[in-house]
Amino acid sequence: MFKRNLPLAIAISFGALTLLGLLFLPDLSRLILSWAAFLAAAALLLGVLNLFAIHLQRLTKEGSLYSGILILGMTAVFGLAITDQLSITQNGVMTAFNWIQAPLEAALASLLAFFLLFAGFQTLKRQRSLWTVLFVATAVILLISQALTATTLLPDNVRDLFNAIQNNINNIIAVAGMRGLLIGIALGAITLSLRLLLGMDQPYNK
Amino acid sequence: MSGDFIGLLIGLILTLFIYSYVVGDNPLYRLSVHLLVGVSAAYSAVIVIRHIILPVANQIIQNPTERESLLWAIPLFFVLLLLLKRAPGLAWLSNNSVALLVGVGAAVALLGALTGTLWPQITAVAASDPGYQTIIIAILTVLTLLSFQFTGRFKKDGQWQRPVWQRGIVHIGRATLIITFGVLFVALLNTSLILLSSRLGYFLTQLQQQLP
Amino acid sequence: MNVNLALSAILIITLLLLLFTRRQKMRSSGAALRPLSAIAALDDRLGEAIESGRQVHVSLGQGGLTGTAAPTSVAAAHILTHLAQEGSASGAAPLATVGEGALLPLAQESLRRAHDEVGRIRDYKPSMAQFVAAETEPYAFAGGVASVMQQNNVGGNVMVGRFGPEIAIIAETAARQNINQVIGTDDPSALAAATAVTGDLLVGEELFAADAYLEGSPSQIASLQVQDILRAVIAAVILILALVNYLNG
C-alpha cells in the first residue's frame, strides 16, 4: 500500500504546489519548475545511457555495424566534450554538431517532402473511404490552385476563381477545423490534468 | 584544405547518404541515421551536463551551506530515486520521481490548456471581423467540436446513437476536420519542398565558392 | 484570462468531475461511448503481431512530463500499459521507444508491471523500452525509431503521444514494410501527415479518451461526460459570441 500511496502523495502535493505557484506565488513555481527541469535532465542522461547500453550489447553480441557506428558517434562527441573541457580542443563538440548532426538533420527534414509525397500518392490505395477521398481531393485542389494562381498564362477571372477557392478553404474551413480541434484537445488535456492532480489517474502506479 | 571545406564535404556526403533513401532503404541511409542518433544523443547529454547539471554542481560545491544549495538536496534526492530503477527490490522507488514530474506537468498543462488554448480560441470568435465569414467559421467550429462527442446511448440493436440534437449535423464537422488536415498536409509539403530546394541550393552555392 | 477566472473554471470543472465520478460509481452499467475504430485496431495490431510471431512497436513520442505535453504523454502511456498487459500475457510484450528522458522510466515501469501481473517477470528486460533521441532532436528521433522498426521483428506499429510532422518518416517506413498502424496524437501537423498513411487515427481529444475505452474506470468515464457537457457549453458560447459580433458589426 505504501508503495502506491507515497508516489500518489508526491504527485498530488507537487502538483498542488506548482498550481498554487503558477497562480499566486511565481517564486514557488519557479523553484519547483527548476527542480523538475533538473530531474528531467537527469532522466535524459539515463536515457542516453540506455541507448548506449542497448547498442553496445548489440555490437558485442550481434556484431551490428550500425550499432558500432552509433556508439562511435556517441563516444566521439563525449570524447570531444572532455578534450574541450581540458582545453586540448576548441569547440570540438560544436564542430561535430556543425559537420555531422546539423547536415544530417537538415537532410532528413528536407527528405520529409519525399516521405509526404510517397504517402500522399499511396493514400487512396491504402485506405478507401469517403474521408480519404475528401482529404486527397482537398490536397489536390489546393495544389492545383496554387499552381494556377502562380501562372500568368491563365485569364484573370479564372485565376480569381482559384484564388477564391483557396482563400475560402484556408481562411474559413481550415480556421474552423483547427479551432474545433484545438478546443477539443484543450478539453481533454484539462480533464486529464485535473484527474492527475486529484490522484484519480496514477500512471506512475500502473 | 580548409576546415570549412572539410565540413562542407562531410555534410554533402552525409546528405547524399540520407537522400539515397529515395531509391529505397539501403545500408548508406541506415548508417547515416545511426550516426545521427548517436551524435545527437551525445550532443543533448553534453548540453544538459554543461547547462543544467554543472551549474548546479558548482553552486553546491562553492556555497554548500547556502539556503539555495541546501534546497537542491530535494531534487537530488529524487534523482537518486530515479537511479534505483535498475536496483532489484528498490525499483519501485523510482516511481516517486516520475510522480513528481507528472504532478508538476499536470499543473503546467492544466493552466496551459485553460489560459493558452481554450480561452484564446473561444475569445478569438468575438475578436474576429464582423461579417458572414465569422458566422460560418463559428458554425463550422461548433460542428467540428461536436463531432468529437463521446457519450450517447445504445439503441435496441446495440448501435451507438448521439444525442438527438446532434444527429445529422456532425458529419459536416468531421468533413471540416478532414479538409483542415488536407490544408495542413499541403502546407507541410510546401514547407518541406522549400527546405529541400534550399538545402540543394546551399550545397551548390558553397561548392561554387569553395572550388577554384 | 485573469487568475480569478482561471481559478473559477478549475473549481467548476473539478466539482463536475467529482460529481460525475460519484454518479458513475453508483451506476451498475457502463456508459455508452462512441465506437472508435482506432481503439479496436490497437488489439487487432497486437493480435496480428502475435499470430505472425512478431512484436508490436509502441512509440510514446517526444512529449515531456513536465510541460504542456504531460497529459498527452500520460494518455499514450495508458495505451502502452494496455498493450503490455495484453501482450505479455501471450508472451509477446511490445517494444517501446521514447523520445524524452522522463518517458523512459514510465514505459519501463509499465512493461515491468505488466510482466509481473501475469507472472512472467523473468521475461521482462529493461531494454524492451528504448530511448532514441531527446525532444529537441525530432528528426534524429524519427530516423532512429524507423531504424528500430526495421531492425526488430515488428508486426504492428502504434504511435501515440506528441509527435511533429516528422511522424511521416516513421509512418511511411512502416507502411513500406506493410506494417499496419494506429496513430494517435494531439499535434495538428502530425495528424495531417498521419491521415495520409492510416485510417486508424486517434484524433486529438480521442487520444485523451483512450483510457476510458480501454479501462473504463468511473473517473475516466466521468471525464468524458464532463468534456461533453463543457463541449455543449462552449459551442453555445461560440455561437452567441459570433452572433453578437455580427449584430454589433
Side-chain angles (χ1 to χ4, degrees):
Chain A
M1 205 61 183
F2 179 68
K3 282 185 183 179
R4 296 181 77 87
N5 284 343
L6 185 60
L8 175 65
I10 289 172
I12 293 176
S13 49
F14 273 92
L17 284 172
T18 311
L19 197 59
L20 196 71
L22 289 169
L23 286 170
F24 307 107
L25 306 163
D27 285 343
L28 178 67
S29 64
R30 252 196 302 277
L31 180 72
I32 295 178
L33 288 174
S34 69
W35 291 354
F38 187 78
L39 193 53
L44 173 81
L45 295 182
L46 292 177
V48 174
L49 277 178
N50 163 280
L51 181 72
F52 187 82
I54 285 170
H55 284 274
L56 189 65
Q57 195 182 27
R58 201 168 278 169
L59 174 68
T60 50
K61 284 194 177 164
E62 300 163 26
S64 165
L65 170 73
Y66 301 125
S67 293
I69 293 287
L70 189 148
I71 295 280
L72 187 73
M74 257 180 145
T75 42
V77 174
F78 283 134
L80 286 169
I82 293 168
T83 54
D84 278 357
Q85 196 72 22
L86 299 172
S87 302
I88 299 169
T89 51
Q90 277 188 334
N91 290 327
V93 174
M94 272 321 288
T95 308
F97 177 85
N98 290 331
W99 286 11
I100 299 170
Q101 189 178 335
L104 277 172
E105 281 205 334
L108 257 183
S110 57
L111 194 67
L112 192 64
F114 286 102
F115 283 100
L116 290 170
L117 278 173
F118 287 144
F121 282 128
Q122 299 284 330
T123 306
L124 281 177
K125 212 168 114 186
R126 285 175 185 153
Q127 4 153 5
R128 281 186 192 152
S129 70
L130 193 64
W131 298 129
T132 321
V133 173
L134 185 62
F135 173 76
V136 174
T138 307
V140 170
I141 288 169
L142 280 178
L143 286 170
I144 292 173
S145 305
Q146 279 175 5
L148 293 181
T149 47
T151 176
T152 47
L153 297 171
L154 286 174
D156 281 352
N157 53 354
V158 178
R159 275 168 54 198
D160 288 346
L161 176 74
F162 280 106
N163 231 339
I165 292 171
Q166 247 189 91
N167 282 340
N168 283 327
I169 293 176
N170 286 331
N171 301 333
I172 296 180
I173 303 177
V175 167
M178 192 65 122
R179 197 167 281 166
L181 178 69
L182 291 178
I183 292 173
I185 289 169
L187 287 178
I190 288 167
T191 50
L192 181 50
S193 300
L194 273 175
R195 264 172 34 224
L196 290 168
L197 290 170
L198 294 167
M200 290 171 163
D201 196 324
Q202 302 169 28
Y204 36 82
N205 274 337
K206 285 268 175 185
Chain B
M1 244 193 305
S2 72
D4 283 352
F5 187 68
I6 297 170
L8 181 72
L9 216 57
I10 292 172
L12 178 64
I13 292 167
L14 291 175
T15 301
L16 291 174
F17 281 7
I18 290 284
Y19 287 169
S20 68
Y21 187 81
V22 176
V23 289
D25 186 25
N26 66 77
L28 292 178
Y29 170 76
R30 287 191 184 196
L31 190 133
S32 44
V33 165
H34 277 82
L35 183 63
L36 171 64
V37 172
V39 170
S40 76
Y43 181 74
S44 311
V46 170
I47 295 294
V48 156
I49 291 170
R50 280 183 182 172
H51 297 284
I52 301 179
I53 309 284
L54 282 181
V56 173
N58 284 337
Q59 189 194 327
I60 295 171
I61 291 165
Q62 281 164 10
N63 307 300
T65 51
E66 255 188 20
R67 185 178 155 270
E68 281 189 3
S69 298
L70 292 172
L71 277 173
W72 278 109
I74 297 169
L76 281 170
F77 173 70
F78 281 100
V79 169
L80 195 73
L81 295 184
L82 204 58
L83 292 172
L84 293 173
K85 186 85 216 162
R86 287 204 171 206
L90 295 173
W92 67 273
L93 283 167
S94 70
N95 293 347
N96 294 301
S97 308
V98 176
L100 185 150
L101 294 173
V102 168
V104 173
V108 172
L110 173 63
L111 280 183
L114 204 57
T115 60
T117 308
L118 198 59
W119 184 254
Q121 289 299 331
I122 295 171
T123 49
V125 179
S128 315
D129 290 335
Y132 78 97
Q133 281 198 355
T134 306
I135 295 282
I136 297 172
I137 289 173
I139 291 169
L140 290 179
T141 302
V142 164
L143 292 177
T144 307
L145 190 58
L146 293 179
S147 72
F148 282 100
Q149 173 88 18
F150 292 110
T151 55
R153 66 180 190 86
F154 287 124
K155 285 195 286 189
K156 278 181 187 162
D157 60 0
Q159 284 270 322
W160 182 81
Q161 212 173 25
R162 286 180 182 278
V164 181
W165 59 281
Q166 287 183 9
R167 284 175 214 162
I169 53 170
V170 287
H171 287 305
I172 304 168
R174 207 28 87 157
T176 306
L177 197 65
I178 297 293
I179 293 172
T180 307
F181 290 155
V183 172
L184 288 172
F185 186 84
V186 171
L188 273 180
L189 195 60
N190 285 339
T191 314
S192 50
L193 281 171
I194 291 168
L195 210 63
L196 180 67
S197 70
S198 68
R199 202 65 206 145
L200 295 173
Y202 166 78
F203 280 117
L204 286 175
T205 323
Q206 290 293 318
L207 283 173
Q208 270 174 358
Q209 284 174 1
Q210 300 274 351
L211 290 173
Chain C
M1 191 181 201
N2 66 33
V3 172
N4 288 338
L5 202 59
L7 200 63
S8 313
I10 291 170
L11 285 175
I12 290 168
I13 302 170
T14 305
L15 278 175
L16 280 173
L17 205 54
L18 291 171
L19 193 76
F20 276 85
T21 304
R22 196 180 139 82
R23 205 181 119 206
Q24 197 59 36
K25 274 182 185 166
M26 289 194 295
R27 279 179 64 170
S28 53
S29 59
L33 300 180
R34 172 166 59 92
L36 292 179
S37 67
I39 293 289
L42 287 171
D43 287 337
D44 292 346
R45 294 299 88 86
L46 188 67
E48 288 161 9
I50 291 170
E51 276 171 24
S52 59
R54 293 184 287 174
Q55 273 184 302
V56 167
H57 164 252
V58 183
S59 186
L60 297 186
Q62 293 205 282
L65 282 182
T66 53
T68 49
T72 315
S73 298
V74 168
H78 278 295
I79 292 174
L80 172 65
T81 302
H82 170 77
L83 291 171
Q85 283 168 342
E86 301 287 318
S88 53
S90 317
L95 169 69
T97 54
V98 300
E100 212 274 340
L103 291 180
L104 186 64
L106 196 64
Q108 283 175 331
E109 184 59 17
S110 178
L111 288 162
R112 192 197 65 78
R113 208 179 283 260
H115 280 84
D116 199 17
E117 278 171 9
V118 295
R120 283 178 177 257
I121 193 69
R122 281 166 174 268
D123 294 343
Y124 168 72
K125 295 185 204 81
S127 61
M128 285 172 167
Q130 300 185 7
F131 173 84
V132 178
E135 68 178 315
T136 46
E137 321 287 356
Y139 289 96
F141 177 70
V145 171
S147 295
V148 168
M149 274 199 303
Q150 285 167 328
Q151 287 180 343
N152 290 277
N153 200 13
V154 170
N157 182 33
V158 175
M159 290 190 281
V160 281
R162 177 66 61 83
F163 294 86
E166 68 284 348
I167 200 173
I169 295 173
I170 315 171
E172 184 53 30
T173 306
R176 280 186 176 200
Q177 291 179 273
N178 294 319
I179 297 172
N180 288 328
Q181 321 191 54
V182 178
I183 299 175
T185 182
D186 61 349
D187 183 273
S189 302
L191 282 167
T195 308
V197 183
T198 179
D200 291 323
L201 279 179
L202 287 168
V203 179
E205 204 182 342
E206 292 170 355
L207 173 64
F208 297 106
D211 57 356
Y213 284 78
L214 297 171
E215 296 163 31
S217 76
S219 76
Q220 291 164 341
I221 302 287
S223 185
L224 297 188
Q225 290 168 333
V226 171
Q227 272 169 253
D228 284 344
I229 290 172
L230 294 175
R231 190 189 318 283
V233 172
I234 291 169
V237 169
I238 287 176
L239 288 177
I240 292 167
L241 282 176
L243 206 63
V244 170
N245 186 24
Y246 182 73
L247 294 175
N248 281 347

